[in-house]
mmCIF file of all heavy atoms in Angstrom:
data_model
loop_
_atom_site.group_PDB
_atom_site.id
_atom_site.type_symbol
_atom_site.label_atom_id
_atom_site.label_comp_id
_atom_site.label_asym_id
_atom_site.label_seq_id
_atom_site.Cartn_x
_atom_site.Cartn_y
_atom_site.Cartn_z
ATOM 1 N N LEU A 78 110.849 103.000 98.583
ATOM 2 C CA LEU A 78 110.179 103.567 97.409
ATOM 3 C C LEU A 78 109.334 102.512 96.697
ATOM 4 O O LEU A 78 108.239 102.807 96.195
ATOM 5 C CB LEU A 78 111.224 104.133 96.445
ATOM 6 C CG LEU A 78 111.973 105.381 96.927
ATOM 7 C CD1 LEU A 78 113.086 105.741 95.968
ATOM 8 C CD2 LEU A 78 111.022 106.549 97.081
ATOM 9 N N ARG A 79 109.847 101.279 96.663
ATOM 10 C CA ARG A 79 109.104 100.207 96.001
ATOM 11 C C ARG A 79 107.787 99.935 96.708
ATOM 12 O O ARG A 79 106.769 99.641 96.080
ATOM 13 C CB ARG A 79 109.960 98.946 95.952
ATOM 14 C CG ARG A 79 109.392 97.838 95.056
ATOM 15 C CD ARG A 79 110.332 96.661 94.936
ATOM 16 N NE ARG A 79 111.521 97.025 94.176
ATOM 17 C CZ ARG A 79 112.737 97.134 94.695
ATOM 18 N NH1 ARG A 79 112.927 96.920 95.988
ATOM 19 N NH2 ARG A 79 113.761 97.476 93.952
ATOM 20 N N ARG A 80 107.813 100.034 98.058
ATOM 21 C CA ARG A 80 106.576 99.837 98.811
ATOM 22 C C ARG A 80 105.565 100.945 98.509
ATOM 23 O O ARG A 80 104.357 100.715 98.499
ATOM 24 C CB ARG A 80 106.874 99.764 100.307
ATOM 25 C CG ARG A 80 107.537 98.459 100.736
ATOM 26 C CD ARG A 80 107.539 98.330 102.241
ATOM 27 N NE ARG A 80 108.377 99.332 102.867
ATOM 28 C CZ ARG A 80 109.676 99.164 103.129
ATOM 29 N NH1 ARG A 80 110.269 98.032 102.784
ATOM 30 N NH2 ARG A 80 110.370 100.118 103.716
ATOM 31 N N LYS A 81 106.073 102.171 98.271
ATOM 32 C CA LYS A 81 105.170 103.280 97.975
ATOM 33 C C LYS A 81 104.481 103.108 96.625
ATOM 34 O O LYS A 81 103.370 103.599 96.425
ATOM 35 C CB LYS A 81 105.942 104.597 98.000
ATOM 36 C CG LYS A 81 106.383 105.033 99.397
ATOM 37 C CD LYS A 81 107.094 106.376 99.349
ATOM 38 C CE LYS A 81 107.512 106.832 100.745
ATOM 39 N NZ LYS A 81 108.206 108.147 100.706
ATOM 40 N N VAL A 82 105.171 102.463 95.677
ATOM 41 C CA VAL A 82 104.597 102.279 94.331
ATOM 42 C C VAL A 82 104.384 100.794 94.072
ATOM 43 O O VAL A 82 104.671 100.284 92.991
ATOM 44 C CB VAL A 82 105.512 102.904 93.259
ATOM 45 C CG1 VAL A 82 105.527 104.404 93.382
ATOM 46 C CG2 VAL A 82 106.927 102.346 93.363
ATOM 47 N N ALA A 83 103.896 100.088 95.099
ATOM 48 C CA ALA A 83 103.721 98.642 94.969
ATOM 49 C C ALA A 83 102.800 98.284 93.805
ATOM 50 O O ALA A 83 102.930 97.221 93.191
ATOM 51 C CB ALA A 83 103.165 98.070 96.268
ATOM 52 N N GLY A 84 101.874 99.191 93.479
ATOM 53 C CA GLY A 84 100.953 98.904 92.391
ATOM 54 C C GLY A 84 101.631 98.812 91.047
ATOM 55 O O GLY A 84 101.105 98.198 90.105
ATOM 56 N N LEU A 85 102.816 99.407 90.907
ATOM 57 C CA LEU A 85 103.549 99.381 89.642
ATOM 58 C C LEU A 85 104.475 98.171 89.526
ATOM 59 O O LEU A 85 105.152 98.016 88.520
ATOM 60 C CB LEU A 85 104.373 100.665 89.485
ATOM 61 C CG LEU A 85 103.580 101.970 89.404
ATOM 62 C CD1 LEU A 85 104.527 103.152 89.348
ATOM 63 C CD2 LEU A 85 102.656 101.962 88.202
ATOM 64 N N ASP A 86 104.495 97.342 90.553
ATOM 65 C CA ASP A 86 105.372 96.167 90.541
ATOM 66 C C ASP A 86 104.650 95.010 89.864
ATOM 67 O O ASP A 86 103.920 94.251 90.498
ATOM 68 C CB ASP A 86 105.773 95.805 91.973
ATOM 69 C CG ASP A 86 106.780 94.655 92.001
ATOM 70 O OD1 ASP A 86 107.372 94.371 90.944
ATOM 71 O OD2 ASP A 86 106.955 94.049 93.072
ATOM 72 N N PHE A 87 104.846 94.878 88.563
ATOM 73 C CA PHE A 87 104.194 93.816 87.799
ATOM 74 C C PHE A 87 105.258 92.866 87.265
ATOM 75 O O PHE A 87 106.190 93.273 86.568
ATOM 76 C CB PHE A 87 103.387 94.400 86.638
ATOM 77 C CG PHE A 87 102.836 93.344 85.713
ATOM 78 C CD1 PHE A 87 101.832 92.495 86.139
ATOM 79 C CD2 PHE A 87 103.335 93.207 84.425
ATOM 80 C CE1 PHE A 87 101.330 91.515 85.293
ATOM 81 C CE2 PHE A 87 102.835 92.235 83.576
ATOM 82 C CZ PHE A 87 101.824 91.389 84.005
ATOM 83 N N SER A 88 105.136 91.600 87.606
ATOM 84 C CA SER A 88 106.081 90.598 87.119
ATOM 85 C C SER A 88 105.324 89.344 86.729
ATOM 86 O O SER A 88 104.252 89.064 87.266
ATOM 87 C CB SER A 88 107.131 90.282 88.181
ATOM 88 O OG SER A 88 106.517 89.760 89.344
ATOM 89 N N TYR A 89 105.903 88.604 85.798
ATOM 90 C CA TYR A 89 105.268 87.378 85.323
ATOM 91 C C TYR A 89 106.341 86.445 84.796
ATOM 92 O O TYR A 89 107.487 86.848 84.548
ATOM 93 C CB TYR A 89 104.246 87.696 84.222
ATOM 94 C CG TYR A 89 104.876 88.262 82.962
ATOM 95 C CD1 TYR A 89 105.220 87.436 81.893
ATOM 96 C CD2 TYR A 89 105.128 89.626 82.837
ATOM 97 C CE1 TYR A 89 105.795 87.955 80.739
ATOM 98 C CE2 TYR A 89 105.702 90.151 81.696
ATOM 99 C CZ TYR A 89 106.042 89.308 80.639
ATOM 100 O OH TYR A 89 106.615 89.816 79.508
ATOM 101 N N SER A 90 105.972 85.179 84.622
ATOM 102 C CA SER A 90 106.864 84.198 84.020
ATOM 103 C C SER A 90 106.449 83.987 82.569
ATOM 104 O O SER A 90 105.271 84.162 82.211
ATOM 105 C CB SER A 90 106.797 82.866 84.786
ATOM 106 O OG SER A 90 107.176 83.050 86.131
ATOM 107 N N ASP A 91 107.406 83.631 81.738
ATOM 108 C CA ASP A 91 107.080 83.374 80.327
ATOM 109 C C ASP A 91 106.053 82.253 80.245
ATOM 110 O O ASP A 91 106.307 81.135 80.724
ATOM 111 C CB ASP A 91 108.335 82.981 79.558
ATOM 112 C CG ASP A 91 109.292 84.155 79.419
ATOM 113 O OD1 ASP A 91 108.872 85.281 79.709
ATOM 114 O OD2 ASP A 91 110.457 83.931 79.013
ATOM 115 N N PRO A 92 104.899 82.508 79.659
ATOM 116 C CA PRO A 92 103.859 81.471 79.592
ATOM 117 C C PRO A 92 104.178 80.349 78.614
ATOM 118 O O PRO A 92 103.556 79.287 78.664
ATOM 119 C CB PRO A 92 102.619 82.257 79.134
ATOM 120 C CG PRO A 92 103.163 83.450 78.432
ATOM 121 C CD PRO A 92 104.447 83.798 79.109
ATOM 122 N N SER A 93 105.160 80.539 77.733
ATOM 123 C CA SER A 93 105.533 79.508 76.765
ATOM 124 C C SER A 93 106.991 79.696 76.397
ATOM 125 O O SER A 93 107.553 80.794 76.555
ATOM 126 C CB SER A 93 104.633 79.608 75.516
ATOM 127 O OG SER A 93 104.797 80.880 74.902
ATOM 128 N N PRO A 94 107.647 78.631 75.921
ATOM 129 C CA PRO A 94 109.051 78.754 75.506
ATOM 130 C C PRO A 94 109.196 79.794 74.398
ATOM 131 O O PRO A 94 108.312 79.943 73.548
ATOM 132 C CB PRO A 94 109.405 77.348 75.019
ATOM 133 C CG PRO A 94 108.407 76.444 75.675
ATOM 134 C CD PRO A 94 107.149 77.243 75.797
ATOM 135 N N ASN A 95 110.323 80.512 74.430
ATOM 136 C CA ASN A 95 110.627 81.522 73.403
ATOM 137 C C ASN A 95 109.549 82.599 73.324
ATOM 138 O O ASN A 95 109.272 83.144 72.249
ATOM 139 C CB ASN A 95 110.810 80.860 72.032
ATOM 140 C CG ASN A 95 111.915 79.815 72.034
ATOM 141 O OD1 ASN A 95 112.961 80.010 72.648
ATOM 142 N ND2 ASN A 95 111.681 78.699 71.362
ATOM 143 N N PHE A 96 108.936 82.889 74.453
ATOM 144 C CA PHE A 96 107.895 83.911 74.486
ATOM 145 C C PHE A 96 108.522 85.280 74.240
ATOM 146 O O PHE A 96 109.543 85.632 74.836
ATOM 147 C CB PHE A 96 107.180 83.891 75.840
ATOM 148 C CG PHE A 96 106.099 84.914 75.986
ATOM 149 C CD1 PHE A 96 104.855 84.714 75.405
ATOM 150 C CD2 PHE A 96 106.328 86.093 76.691
ATOM 151 C CE1 PHE A 96 103.844 85.666 75.543
ATOM 152 C CE2 PHE A 96 105.324 87.037 76.834
ATOM 153 C CZ PHE A 96 104.082 86.825 76.249
ATOM 154 N N ASP A 97 107.930 86.067 73.366
ATOM 155 C CA ASP A 97 108.419 87.410 73.042
ATOM 156 C C ASP A 97 107.840 88.404 74.045
ATOM 157 O O ASP A 97 106.661 88.745 73.998
ATOM 158 C CB ASP A 97 108.006 87.787 71.627
ATOM 159 C CG ASP A 97 108.633 89.109 71.191
ATOM 160 O OD1 ASP A 97 109.388 89.707 71.999
ATOM 161 O OD2 ASP A 97 108.373 89.532 70.048
ATOM 162 N N ARG A 98 108.683 88.875 74.955
ATOM 163 C CA ARG A 98 108.201 89.761 76.014
ATOM 164 C C ARG A 98 107.783 91.132 75.485
ATOM 165 O O ARG A 98 107.162 91.900 76.214
ATOM 166 C CB ARG A 98 109.283 89.921 77.091
ATOM 167 C CG ARG A 98 109.378 88.692 78.000
ATOM 168 C CD ARG A 98 110.361 88.885 79.133
ATOM 169 N NE ARG A 98 110.144 87.843 80.149
ATOM 170 C CZ ARG A 98 109.675 88.055 81.356
ATOM 171 N NH1 ARG A 98 109.355 89.288 81.728
ATOM 172 N NH2 ARG A 98 109.512 87.064 82.218
ATOM 173 N N ARG A 99 108.106 91.440 74.247
ATOM 174 C CA ARG A 99 107.646 92.708 73.683
ATOM 175 C C ARG A 99 106.135 92.709 73.474
ATOM 176 O O ARG A 99 105.539 93.777 73.284
ATOM 177 C CB ARG A 99 108.361 92.962 72.356
ATOM 178 C CG ARG A 99 109.846 93.292 72.505
ATOM 179 C CD ARG A 99 110.517 93.430 71.174
ATOM 180 N NE ARG A 99 110.500 92.167 70.428
ATOM 181 C CZ ARG A 99 111.042 92.014 69.219
ATOM 182 N NH1 ARG A 99 111.626 93.044 68.619
ATOM 183 N NH2 ARG A 99 110.987 90.841 68.605
ATOM 184 N N ARG A 100 105.531 91.542 73.541
ATOM 185 C CA ARG A 100 104.070 91.457 73.400
ATOM 186 C C ARG A 100 103.358 92.027 74.633
ATOM 187 O O ARG A 100 102.190 92.394 74.565
ATOM 188 C CB ARG A 100 103.651 89.999 73.164
ATOM 189 C CG ARG A 100 104.161 89.433 71.843
ATOM 190 C CD ARG A 100 104.067 87.920 71.799
ATOM 191 N NE ARG A 100 102.681 87.446 71.967
ATOM 192 C CZ ARG A 100 102.349 86.162 72.066
ATOM 193 N NH1 ARG A 100 103.304 85.230 71.992
ATOM 194 N NH2 ARG A 100 101.090 85.816 72.220
ATOM 195 N N VAL A 101 104.058 92.063 75.756
ATOM 196 C CA VAL A 101 103.496 92.636 76.994
ATOM 197 C C VAL A 101 104.035 94.051 77.123
ATOM 198 O O VAL A 101 105.229 94.255 77.342
ATOM 199 C CB VAL A 101 103.866 91.786 78.224
ATOM 200 C CG1 VAL A 101 103.265 92.403 79.474
ATOM 201 C CG2 VAL A 101 103.399 90.348 78.048
ATOM 202 N N LYS A 102 103.165 95.055 76.999
ATOM 203 C CA LYS A 102 103.603 96.453 76.980
ATOM 204 C C LYS A 102 103.863 97.006 78.378
ATOM 205 O O LYS A 102 104.698 97.887 78.558
ATOM 206 C CB LYS A 102 102.561 97.316 76.276
ATOM 207 C CG LYS A 102 102.150 96.790 74.892
ATOM 208 C CD LYS A 102 103.339 96.602 73.980
ATOM 209 C CE LYS A 102 102.914 96.050 72.625
ATOM 210 N NZ LYS A 102 104.066 95.813 71.723
ATOM 211 N N GLY A 103 103.143 96.493 79.384
ATOM 212 C CA GLY A 103 103.327 96.971 80.740
ATOM 213 C C GLY A 103 102.088 97.657 81.272
ATOM 214 O O GLY A 103 101.018 97.645 80.662
ATOM 215 N N LEU A 104 102.215 98.264 82.436
ATOM 216 C CA LEU A 104 101.080 98.952 83.057
ATOM 217 C C LEU A 104 100.779 100.252 82.315
ATOM 218 O O LEU A 104 101.686 100.897 81.772
ATOM 219 C CB LEU A 104 101.386 99.253 84.521
ATOM 220 C CG LEU A 104 101.717 98.049 85.424
ATOM 221 C CD1 LEU A 104 101.963 98.523 86.843
ATOM 222 C CD2 LEU A 104 100.601 97.028 85.391
ATOM 223 N N VAL A 105 99.500 100.626 82.340
ATOM 224 C CA VAL A 105 99.093 101.876 81.694
ATOM 225 C C VAL A 105 99.908 103.047 82.221
ATOM 226 O O VAL A 105 100.373 103.908 81.469
ATOM 227 C CB VAL A 105 97.580 102.116 81.907
ATOM 228 C CG1 VAL A 105 97.180 103.508 81.409
ATOM 229 C CG2 VAL A 105 96.760 101.039 81.215
ATOM 230 N N ALA A 106 100.117 103.091 83.540
ATOM 231 C CA ALA A 106 100.820 104.217 84.160
ATOM 232 C C ALA A 106 102.265 104.326 83.685
ATOM 233 O O ALA A 106 102.880 105.394 83.810
ATOM 234 C CB ALA A 106 100.786 104.068 85.681
ATOM 235 N N GLN A 107 102.815 103.238 83.143
ATOM 236 C CA GLN A 107 104.206 103.256 82.693
ATOM 237 C C GLN A 107 104.338 103.566 81.200
ATOM 238 O O GLN A 107 105.449 103.631 80.698
ATOM 239 C CB GLN A 107 104.860 101.886 82.981
ATOM 240 C CG GLN A 107 104.954 101.573 84.466
ATOM 241 C CD GLN A 107 105.447 100.163 84.717
ATOM 242 O OE1 GLN A 107 105.059 99.241 84.005
ATOM 243 N NE2 GLN A 107 106.296 100.001 85.715
ATOM 244 N N LEU A 108 103.225 103.743 80.509
ATOM 245 C CA LEU A 108 103.267 103.869 79.056
ATOM 246 C C LEU A 108 103.123 105.304 78.572
ATOM 247 O O LEU A 108 102.981 105.543 77.383
ATOM 248 C CB LEU A 108 102.157 102.997 78.433
ATOM 249 C CG LEU A 108 102.310 101.499 78.722
ATOM 250 C CD1 LEU A 108 101.160 100.716 78.096
ATOM 251 C CD2 LEU A 108 103.637 100.974 78.208
ATOM 252 N N PHE A 109 103.120 106.276 79.474
ATOM 253 C CA PHE A 109 103.065 107.673 79.051
ATOM 254 C C PHE A 109 103.820 108.526 80.058
ATOM 255 O O PHE A 109 104.078 108.099 81.177
ATOM 256 C CB PHE A 109 101.607 108.167 78.928
ATOM 257 C CG PHE A 109 100.878 108.210 80.239
ATOM 258 C CD1 PHE A 109 100.871 109.361 81.010
ATOM 259 C CD2 PHE A 109 100.195 107.092 80.712
ATOM 260 C CE1 PHE A 109 100.197 109.402 82.220
ATOM 261 C CE2 PHE A 109 99.527 107.134 81.915
ATOM 262 C CZ PHE A 109 99.522 108.291 82.668
ATOM 263 N N ASN A 110 104.178 109.709 79.630
ATOM 264 C CA ASN A 110 104.884 110.654 80.496
ATOM 265 C C ASN A 110 104.048 111.909 80.667
ATOM 266 O O ASN A 110 103.399 112.380 79.715
ATOM 267 C CB ASN A 110 106.240 111.046 79.885
ATOM 268 C CG ASN A 110 107.202 109.868 79.849
ATOM 269 O OD1 ASN A 110 107.292 109.123 80.816
ATOM 270 N ND2 ASN A 110 107.914 109.710 78.737
ATOM 271 N N LEU A 111 104.050 112.437 81.851
ATOM 272 C CA LEU A 111 103.368 113.704 82.132
ATOM 273 C C LEU A 111 104.432 114.791 82.179
ATOM 274 O O LEU A 111 105.321 114.763 83.032
ATOM 275 C CB LEU A 111 102.627 113.620 83.465
ATOM 276 C CG LEU A 111 101.776 114.837 83.840
ATOM 277 C CD1 LEU A 111 100.612 114.997 82.857
ATOM 278 C CD2 LEU A 111 101.243 114.686 85.253
ATOM 279 N N PRO A 112 104.395 115.752 81.232
ATOM 280 C CA PRO A 112 105.426 116.804 81.228
ATOM 281 C C PRO A 112 105.462 117.546 82.563
ATOM 282 O O PRO A 112 104.435 117.732 83.214
ATOM 283 C CB PRO A 112 104.974 117.733 80.088
ATOM 284 C CG PRO A 112 104.093 116.889 79.228
ATOM 285 C CD PRO A 112 103.413 115.936 80.150
ATOM 286 N N GLU A 113 106.652 117.944 82.930
ATOM 287 C CA GLU A 113 106.799 118.656 84.207
ATOM 288 C C GLU A 113 105.981 119.938 84.213
ATOM 289 O O GLU A 113 105.467 120.371 85.252
ATOM 290 C CB GLU A 113 108.272 118.963 84.444
ATOM 291 C CG GLU A 113 108.556 119.559 85.812
ATOM 292 C CD GLU A 113 110.040 119.734 86.070
ATOM 293 O OE1 GLU A 113 110.833 119.310 85.209
ATOM 294 O OE2 GLU A 113 110.374 120.302 87.114
ATOM 295 N N SER A 114 105.810 120.545 83.031
ATOM 296 C CA SER A 114 105.027 121.778 82.947
ATOM 297 C C SER A 114 103.551 121.536 83.249
ATOM 298 O O SER A 114 102.814 122.476 83.573
ATOM 299 C CB SER A 114 105.169 122.399 81.550
ATOM 300 O OG SER A 114 104.717 121.478 80.560
ATOM 301 N N SER A 115 103.118 120.241 83.162
ATOM 302 C CA SER A 115 101.710 119.911 83.429
ATOM 303 C C SER A 115 101.558 119.076 84.688
ATOM 304 O O SER A 115 100.571 118.359 84.857
ATOM 305 C CB SER A 115 101.117 119.151 82.232
ATOM 306 O OG SER A 115 101.242 119.895 81.048
ATOM 307 N N SER A 116 102.535 119.170 85.567
ATOM 308 C CA SER A 116 102.511 118.324 86.764
ATOM 309 C C SER A 116 101.309 118.603 87.647
ATOM 310 O O SER A 116 100.843 117.723 88.370
ATOM 311 C CB SER A 116 103.806 118.519 87.567
ATOM 312 O OG SER A 116 103.923 119.881 87.962
ATOM 313 N N GLU A 117 100.734 119.845 87.568
ATOM 314 C CA GLU A 117 99.582 120.145 88.411
ATOM 315 C C GLU A 117 98.362 119.336 87.977
ATOM 316 O O GLU A 117 97.402 119.196 88.740
ATOM 317 C CB GLU A 117 99.266 121.641 88.360
ATOM 318 C CG GLU A 117 98.702 122.135 87.027
ATOM 319 C CD GLU A 117 99.783 122.366 85.983
ATOM 320 O OE1 GLU A 117 100.977 122.231 86.343
ATOM 321 O OE2 GLU A 117 99.440 122.690 84.837
ATOM 322 N N ALA A 118 98.391 118.758 86.756
ATOM 323 C CA ALA A 118 97.263 117.955 86.282
ATOM 324 C C ALA A 118 97.359 116.505 86.753
ATOM 325 O O ALA A 118 96.450 115.708 86.490
ATOM 326 C CB ALA A 118 97.184 118.005 84.754
ATOM 327 N N GLY A 119 98.456 116.153 87.433
ATOM 328 C CA GLY A 119 98.667 114.765 87.850
ATOM 329 C C GLY A 119 97.568 114.252 88.761
ATOM 330 O O GLY A 119 97.081 113.123 88.596
ATOM 331 N N THR A 120 97.157 115.060 89.697
ATOM 332 C CA THR A 120 96.114 114.622 90.637
ATOM 333 C C THR A 120 94.799 114.381 89.911
ATOM 334 O O THR A 120 94.113 113.371 90.142
ATOM 335 C CB THR A 120 95.923 115.668 91.742
ATOM 336 O OG1 THR A 120 97.166 115.869 92.411
ATOM 337 C CG2 THR A 120 94.892 115.193 92.752
ATOM 338 N N ALA A 121 94.447 115.295 89.004
ATOM 339 C CA ALA A 121 93.207 115.118 88.237
ATOM 340 C C ALA A 121 93.264 113.851 87.392
ATOM 341 O O ALA A 121 92.298 113.075 87.330
ATOM 342 C CB ALA A 121 92.983 116.337 87.351
ATOM 343 N N LEU A 122 94.437 113.605 86.774
ATOM 344 C CA LEU A 122 94.594 112.407 85.949
ATOM 345 C C LEU A 122 94.470 111.147 86.803
ATOM 346 O O LEU A 122 93.809 110.165 86.425
ATOM 347 C CB LEU A 122 95.953 112.446 85.244
ATOM 348 C CG LEU A 122 96.315 111.227 84.388
ATOM 349 C CD1 LEU A 122 95.309 111.082 83.248
ATOM 350 C CD2 LEU A 122 97.723 111.365 83.834
ATOM 351 N N GLU A 123 95.079 111.183 87.970
ATOM 352 C CA GLU A 123 95.035 110.016 88.859
ATOM 353 C C GLU A 123 93.608 109.733 89.317
ATOM 354 O O GLU A 123 93.167 108.588 89.393
ATOM 355 C CB GLU A 123 95.949 110.267 90.063
ATOM 356 C CG GLU A 123 96.115 109.052 90.965
ATOM 357 C CD GLU A 123 97.106 109.309 92.085
ATOM 358 O OE1 GLU A 123 97.695 110.403 92.142
ATOM 359 O OE2 GLU A 123 97.281 108.392 92.919
#
């Protein structure tokens, strides 16, 4: 499954001591949810 979604595998090292990881929000695709009732719109969104 990880190979299928390799594009979502984002990792990094702390660029400075005591770095607040909350400053990095993540990938756009991980920051919203598509309701199951609107799943047919997934292809158009992609």
Side-chain angles (χ1 to χ4, degrees):
L78 291 173
R79 191 175 291 111
R80 287 192 294 270
K81 289 182 179 180
V82 292
L85 297 176
D86 185 16
F87 173 69
S88 61
Y89 65 94
S90 300
D91 291 348
S93 61
N95 302 320
F96 179 78
D97 187 0
R98 284 185 165 248
R99 290 176 296 181
R100 295 165 60 185
V101 180
K102 308 305 179 182
L104 302 181
V105 172
Q107 296 173 320
L108 298 179
F109 66 92
N110 293 317
L111 185 65
E113 187 175 356
S114 59
S115 303
S116 60
E117 70 279 355
T120 302
L122 177 62
E123 187 176 358

